[in-house]
Amino acid sequence: MGDFLSSVLPPGLIDVLSALIPPAVVATVFCAFVIQLLRKEMAPRRMDGSLVGEDESGDDSAADKGAAEVDEAKATSRTPIAQDEERTESDGR
């Protein structure tokens, strides 16, 4: 096989390819690892840190949903940030 490549490719190109293939393989493996790590870290998570896609027993997930609804209700009943004479965007002044 080496004779076939040397007859088809120019003489210096085989040396260049043999020098570039190992770093290219290492770079590909490194990039694949980084992409896999980023996808794992960017996955959506619940407040307790568990992944959203993981299936747990129905009792635990029902309790988590109830707690989330209570948290949402608390968030909507808060007072606006603007206080006293501070202007808000809806004032229109």
Side-chain angles (χ1 to χ4, degrees), residues 7-63:
S7 65
V8 175
L9 298 174
L13 188 59
I14 294 174
D15 294 335
V16 170
L17 289 176
S18 65
L20 290 179
I21 288 175
V25 170
V26 171
T28 303
V29 171
F30 178 75
C31 290
F33 174 74
V34 168
I35 290 171
Q36 182 181 9
L37 180 66
L38 288 175
R39 290 185 71 193
K40 179 181 173 186
E41 290 299 319
M42 293 174 59
R45 297 183 181 273
R46 295 188 184 101
M47 292 298 289
D48 64 351
S50 62
L51 289 173
V52 171
E54 292 180 353
D55 292 349
E56 296 178 0
S57 63
D59 298 334
D60 293 338
S61 62

